[in-house]
Amino acid sequence: MAFYEYVSEEQLAGFDKYKYSAVDSNPLSVYVMHPFWNSVVKVLPTWLAPNLITFTGFMFLVLNFLMLAFYDFDFNASAEGHQHVPSWVWFAAGLFNFLAYTLDGVDGKQARRTNSSTPLGELFDHGLDSWACIFFVTTVYSIFGRGETGVSVATLYYILWVVLFSFILSHWEKYNTGILFLPWGYDASQVTISIVYIITAVVGVETWYKPILWGFLYRDMFSIMIVACSFTVTLPMSLYNVLKAHRTKTLKHSSLYEAFLPFLSPVLLFVLSTVWVLFSPSDILELQPRAFYLMVGTAFANVTCKLIVCQMSNTRCHALSWLLLPMATVVVLALTSVHQLSSHFNIFAFSLKKPNSD
């Protein structure tokens, strides 16, 4: 690690030429949240650093994660027959989530207000955003848990990946078009999550046990909304924006391989972690879901940050991340253990069937 270069000299030089370009067309953001954030930023002291605002908002999400880890480490607290998370924790989670969302909205405004916008500030902001995905997804999971009326840890694992790929799509767009198209689903999800936390504090998690209609549960609506939003809104809009840039000849990468190169490491990370889940001899996802989600989310954030550095510095994205090497090693060891266990079992079974010569 002492000799590892995270940002190259070429990328640092590219930062000097970088200019922020973003499009936010979400009606909720444009007509509700931005006016609110404009009012909030006016009361902030001008000496307050934008990066401190960014970090404080991120730490509210970490605090939510730690609170729920304390009261619901294995995601069983919301199930029937278990001691539920105290109501005040849900109140705090709703407040902290909305504060995190608000601070994430005002940090850039504070930077422009104080004339302190820098490429490194944007990298810091978006880098923490990439890591924040894991914290708010796992915190929301505690509302439903893994009981009969909840969501299995395997289902939540795949939902987490839907959220992660939805996030990286925006930066893939910018890598190819030079413009950051802010996703519509982000604002709606953050407002909804904050409200659901408060509702849970008032009515209790037992409310989510009841079916909405016939056998359709709230957990089903939760899962369907996330997947549907990603595949019917986020993905089509991303493809449309890239296709539009191609038609107007403003696409930064003419080669199909170069255009989709940023997906190679995230896809490989997904494959490695999924193979680990499916073939783990100790069934690691069932045994330690929170730790496994955190590992996946942290590795994903590292890969995404490298893409953010490349799209901001206008440099070529690397095909593979070195961080995938130790993970691949662990997966190979896990698969080897499965093979060895299977071999030992077959030998033992054969010895039992072998007739006694005495």
Side-chain angles (χ1 to χ4, degrees):
M1 288 298 293
F3 302 100
Y4 179 70
E5 186 180 57
Y6 195 92
V7 180
S8 67
E9 292 294 331
E10 180 187 6
Q11 291 170 335
L12 286 175
F15 283 161
D16 293 334
K17 305 173 186 176
Y18 174 75
K19 290 185 179 180
Y20 180 67
S21 178
V23 174
D24 190 355
S25 58
N26 182 3
L28 174 61
S29 178
V30 172
Y31 298 108
V32 179
M33 299 314 303
H34 275 294
F36 172 67
W37 294 333
N38 288 334
S39 300
V40 172
V41 76
K42 291 177 182 177
V43 303
L44 298 178
T46 54
W47 53 260
L48 187 59
N51 284 350
L52 181 58
I53 297 175
T54 302
F55 186 68
T56 303
F58 172 74
M59 289 308 297
F60 276 124
L61 294 178
V62 174
L63 183 56
N64 272 354
F65 177 84
L66 294 176
M67 282 196 310
L68 270 300
F70 180 80
Y71 286 101
D72 184 26
F73 186 81
D74 55 2
F75 303 107
N76 281 319
S78 292
E80 293 185 82
H82 288 77
Q83 184 176 355
H84 298 326
V85 174
S87 295
W88 72 265
V89 173
W90 295 121
F91 269 118
L95 175 62
F96 293 162
N97 191 83
F98 188 76
L99 285 173
Y101 172 50
T102 300
L103 294 177
D104 188 42
V106 303
D107 54 1
K109 296 180 182 296
Q110 176 76 345
R112 290 184 288 274
R113 177 188 177 214
T114 57
N115 196 28
S116 57
S117 299
T118 65
L120 291 179
E122 183 183 338
L123 175 61
F124 184 64
D125 184 8
H126 293 164
L128 290 183
D129 287 343
S130 67
W131 201 15
C133 293
I134 180 61
F135 295 116
F136 73 75
V137 170
T138 51
T139 304
V140 171
Y141 185 30
S142 286
I143 295 176
F144 304 97
R146 61 199 286 194
E148 292 184 7
T149 56
V151 180
S152 71
V153 291
T155 300
L156 197 279
Y157 167 76
Y158 293 111
I159 289 176
L160 171 63
W161 269 109
V162 170
V163 173
L164 296 179
F165 271 110
S166 296
F167 179 87
I168 204 172
L169 272 175
S170 296
H171 293 284
W172 171 72
E173 282 179 83
K174 190 175 182 183
Y175 178 76
N176 283 285
T177 66
I179 302 173
L180 179 64
F181 296 91
L182 300 175
W184 282 28
Y186 172 70
D187 296 282
S189 66
Q190 292 305 303
V191 172
T192 301
I193 289 171
S194 300
I195 294 173
V196 169
Y197 284 145
I198 301 300
I199 292 175
T200 304
V202 175
V203 301
V205 294
E206 295 85 358
T207 301
W208 311 120
Y209 297 164
K210 303 172 185 177
I212 304 172
L213 184 66
W214 297 306
F216 190 72
L217 299 174
Y218 284 99
R219 60 114 187 259
D220 302 319
M221 182 177 69
F222 162 75
S223 304
I224 291 173
M225 283 178 62
I226 293 177
V227 175
C229 181
S230 296
F231 286 96
T232 64
V233 179
T234 305
L235 179 60
M237 290 185 70
S238 294
L239 295 176
Y240 169 77
N241 290 329
V242 173
L243 182 61
K244 183 180 177 181
H246 173 70
R247 288 175 175 173
T248 57
K249 300 187 184 303
T250 58
L251 199 64
K252 298 172 68 176
H253 304 281
S254 56
S255 165
L256 193 65
Y257 171 76
E258 291 294 334
F260 283 90
L261 188 60
F263 284 128
L264 185 57
S265 284
V267 169
L268 184 55
L269 174 60
F270 169 74
V271 171
L272 287 173
S273 60
T274 303
V275 168
W276 193 357
V277 166
L278 296 177
F279 297 100
S280 169
S282 60
D283 202 359
I284 189 171
L285 192 59
E286 288 288 340
L287 188 65
Q288 291 290 345
R290 186 176 293 273
F292 195 83
Y293 295 149
L294 182 59
M295 181 274 299
V296 169
T298 303
F300 174 84
N302 181 277
V303 170
T304 305
C305 282
K306 291 181 178 296
L307 169 59
I308 295 171
V309 168
C310 291
Q311 50 100 337
M312 289 181 62
S313 60
N314 199 26
T315 54
R316 183 176 183 269
C317 182
H318 296 292
L320 295 174
S321 170
W322 71 269
L323 189 67
L324 299 176
L325 181 60
M327 184 172 180
T329 304
V330 171
V331 172
V332 169
L333 290 175
L335 293 176
T336 304
S337 298
V338 171
H339 177 72
Q340 290 178 344
L341 286 172
S342 177
S343 300
H344 290 323
F345 177 79
N346 291 335
I347 293 173
F348 177 71
F350 177 77
S351 65
L352 291 178
K353 292 180 181 179
K354 186 177 180 181
N356 195 325
S357 58
D358 293 339

